[in-house]
Amino acid sequence: MKKKILEACVDSVESALAAVRGGADRLELCANLIIGGTTPGPALFREIKRESDIRIHTLIRPRFGDFCYTDYEFRVICEEVRMFRELGADGVVIGILTPDGRLNQEKMGRLMELAGGMSVTLHRAFDVCRDPFEALEQAKQLGIHTVLTSGQRGTCAEGKELLREFVREAGNRIEIMAGSGVNAEVIREVAPYTGVRAFHMSGKSTLDSLMVYRKEGVSMGLPLMSEFVLWRTSEEKMREARKVLDCCPIY
């Protein structure tokens, strides 16, 4: 029987260590989680490796937005896969689509070669592809290990009908990991219904900045977001999810 997996999506050392304390099995390491995640820097990866021996899968995503990349962007992606393999990452999280919404098998095949012995996860590019069952079969053929998906809906709870079908179609050849909106209660609902045994969550909480002096009227980024709110993984939320997943009957 497949092991139950709880993966934490993190973009800081503080969040990574909170996830470890909360019982995560592995990390998806990224930068800029607030915009869906982009490729993290090597210094962040090294710092977490110094502080923990947890498995780390690194997100490879050069920018915010869609998953149809230019030749320049693809070269960057290739170099980043190679870099994290050399740094000792346990896996990479990737996804490239064609303009017509299909999995780009040629470019994904090249990335599989570059990944070498690392585990490979197809990220939520899968959730915006034209035909998820076609993409799932292509992922099997490519030798991808895991598909991260919300069932092509906004959250995995909303997408649980498709998730159940994906689990059936995946069989023992590829792992289906549910993501988006995951917490302890969602795991309790989705796991028994779908048969999903792997879940991906950020467990995010908001913290007030340590800054005392706060300059008003100057924004470093999106004007709707406060510069003085930090997003971090909650150890307590991870621990609650771990407890539910371990106890949840999944067939």
Side-chain angles (χ1 to χ4, degrees):
M1 185 175 290
K2 293 179 182 178
K3 181 183 177 182
K4 295 175 179 178
I5 298 291
L6 183 61
E7 179 178 272
C9 185
V10 303
D11 62 0
S12 68
V13 180
E14 292 83 359
S15 288
L17 297 182
V20 171
R21 293 191 300 269
D25 295 292
R26 68 183 183 226
L27 305 178
E28 183 197 282
L29 181 62
C30 65
N32 303 307
L33 184 54
I34 199 166
I35 56 169
T38 55
T39 307
L44 176 59
F45 175 86
R46 291 191 190 100
E47 188 64 23
I48 293 171
K49 290 291 284 185
R50 272 194 288 266
E51 297 294 328
S52 171
D53 61 359
I54 193 170
R55 289 180 60 84
I56 301 177
H57 293 186
T58 55
L59 175 65
I60 309 296
R61 186 184 182 209
R63 58 163 170 79
F64 169 80
D66 65 42
F67 305 104
C68 183
Y69 297 113
T70 67
D71 290 342
Y72 298 118
E73 289 171 327
F74 181 63
R75 286 203 289 268
V76 170
I77 290 169
C78 289
E79 286 301 313
E80 288 174 332
V81 170
R82 184 182 293 109
M83 175 184 69
F84 280 108
R85 184 191 68 203
E86 293 172 354
L87 285 171
D90 298 287
V92 287
V93 184
I94 56 179
I96 299 180
L97 301 180
T98 61
D100 66 349
R102 291 184 164 84
L103 197 63
N104 191 318
Q105 288 182 284
E106 179 183 353
K107 289 183 176 178
M108 289 294 294
R110 173 62 179 147
L111 296 180
M112 293 297 295
E113 292 173 3
L114 290 171
M118 289 191 293
S119 178
V120 176
T121 297
L122 171 59
H123 59 44
R124 292 187 64 215
F126 179 83
D127 280 329
V128 293
C129 74
R130 178 186 296 271
D131 183 341
F133 293 100
E134 176 187 65
L136 182 58
E137 187 58 38
Q138 290 170 337
K140 292 179 189 177
Q141 294 168 7
L142 286 163
I144 289 169
H145 304 93
T146 301
V147 172
L148 170 61
T149 174
S150 61
Q152 293 210 317
R153 298 291 299 274
T155 68
C156 66
E158 295 170 340
K160 65 183 181 180
E161 298 296 339
L162 263 184
L163 283 172
R164 183 158 68 170
E165 293 186 48
F166 294 158
V167 170
R168 184 170 58 247
E169 291 295 323
N172 292 319
R173 293 182 58 191
I174 196 166
E175 176 182 69
I176 300 298
M177 179 165 58
S180 187
V182 172
N183 56 32
E185 290 306 311
V186 167
I187 293 173
R188 184 177 284 113
E189 173 190 356
V190 171
Y193 185 81
T194 62
V196 168
R197 305 181 69 84
F199 286 85
H200 168 99
M201 63 180 286
S202 65
K204 61 179 176 288
S205 60
T206 56
L207 303 175
D208 197 39
S209 167
L210 296 176
M211 287 293 297
V212 175
Y213 174 73
R214 301 188 177 190
K215 183 73 172 180
E216 298 295 334
V218 180
S219 175
M220 297 295 114
L222 298 174
L224 298 179
M225 297 168 54
S226 171
E227 306 289 347
F228 305 106
V229 173
L230 305 177
W231 293 52
R232 295 275 172 79
T233 294
S234 162
E235 179 182 342
E236 180 181 356
K237 290 180 181 180
M238 294 301 303
R239 186 174 291 112
E240 290 172 356
R242 174 85 269 169
K243 182 178 180 181
V244 169
L245 183 58
D246 286 344
C247 297
C248 207
I250 306 174
Y251 307 103

